[in-house]
Amino acid sequence: MKIFRVLKRGYCISYAILDNNVIRLDEDPIKALIRYSENKEVLGDKVVGLNYEELLTKFQIGDLRITKPLDPPEVWGSGISYEMARERYSEENVAKIMGKTIYERVYDAVRPEIFFKATSNRCVGHGEAIVIRSDSEWTLPEPELAVVLDSSGRILGYTIMDDVSARDIEADNPLYLPQSKIYYGSCAFGPFIVTSDEIGNPYNLDITLRIIREGKVFYEGSVNTSKMRRKIEEQIEYLIRDNPIPDGTILTTGTAIVPGRDKGLKHGDVVEISISKIGTLITPVIKSERKLK
Ligand code: DO4
Ligand code: MG
């Protein structure tokens, strides 16, 4: 099953694609995912004539606009789960402990890096703008496979997430991590939540990032999730240890594609992230203008 949502005159409508049929869900998508995971019937009526594929390319048709597929009460991130992230993050002039950068240490440590990332009101969906903070000159997209969890840490589905990060702020001092990671428009996900039965093995998915600038590909990079060193189950185990999470929490599993200092996002760029079996998440980029009081 795949879940998506549209906005119609300010109201959210949830849909599921199940056995090639589009169903208008009668309940919150998180509840529908839980029912589906328990092999219970998904409640809703079959819909005809909704061209969701056109919505994926145009974002808006008439008064229908695609949006994020659910409202996660919490979004958490896992860091340095791929060797490439360890290398690229360590290139900055960062703190060392006993001769190793903090990123090299966490890569080898038993305990993973788990950080708070967002709440639903900070997240955007397909076709909606991700944001460069007004005080950042170097912001990067981080294309990641993310999992939607129930309150016991069971995986309800998978999605594409962009863990947009103000890299200069974290590089200045890692204690600034929350400011580099958490702000309005720093988290994009969608266009779908795809259930585990359609994903199969999550460790054999291709992730591709493209930054489009003035209509041309400005940056492109790819990785396969087989390269993930810190497995998803291990990340979840640490996330939920002594830390109650609500149903619908999202955990994003880390990036392996880290464009360099000269590849930071600019206002007007478009970021495209594709993950096999899920689709492509497309988001324009805007630079926030600080409002002086
Ligand atoms: O502190 C570093 C964050 C790392 C991260 O977000 C990632 O590896 O994806
Ligand atoms: Mg990340």
Side-chain angles (χ1 to χ4, degrees), residues 149-207:
L149 304 171
D150 75 1
S151 59
S152 65
R154 250 175 356 115
I155 297 177
L156 300 174
Y158 293 81
T159 192
I160 302 170
M161 184 159 281
D162 189 351
D163 169 22
V164 184
S165 304
R167 291 288 292 109
D168 47 354
I169 293 178
E170 182 184 348
D172 187 24
N173 186 328
L175 293 177
Y176 296 149
L177 184 80
Q179 293 175 72
S180 120
K181 294 284 192 186
I182 310 168
Y183 58 91
Y184 175 75
S186 70
C187 183
F189 71 98
F192 299 111
I193 309 295
V194 182
T195 50
S196 307
D197 52 345
E198 291 199 15
I199 294 291
N201 177 8
Y203 300 112
N204 189 18
L205 301 173
D206 290 320
I207 303 181

Side-chain angles (χ1 to χ4, degrees), residues 77-80 89 115 142-144 163-165 181 252-255:
S78 177
I80 320 298
Y89 265 85
F115 57 89
E142 293 195 354
E144 304 184 6
D163 169 22
V164 184
S165 304
K181 294 284 192 186
T252 188
T253 63
T255 190

Side-chain angles (χ1 to χ4, degrees), residues 131-146:
V131 177
I132 305 169
R133 284 181 66 117
S134 57
D135 54 3
S136 171
E137 296 304 321
W138 180 38
T139 289
L140 292 180
E142 293 195 354
E144 304 184 6
L145 175 68

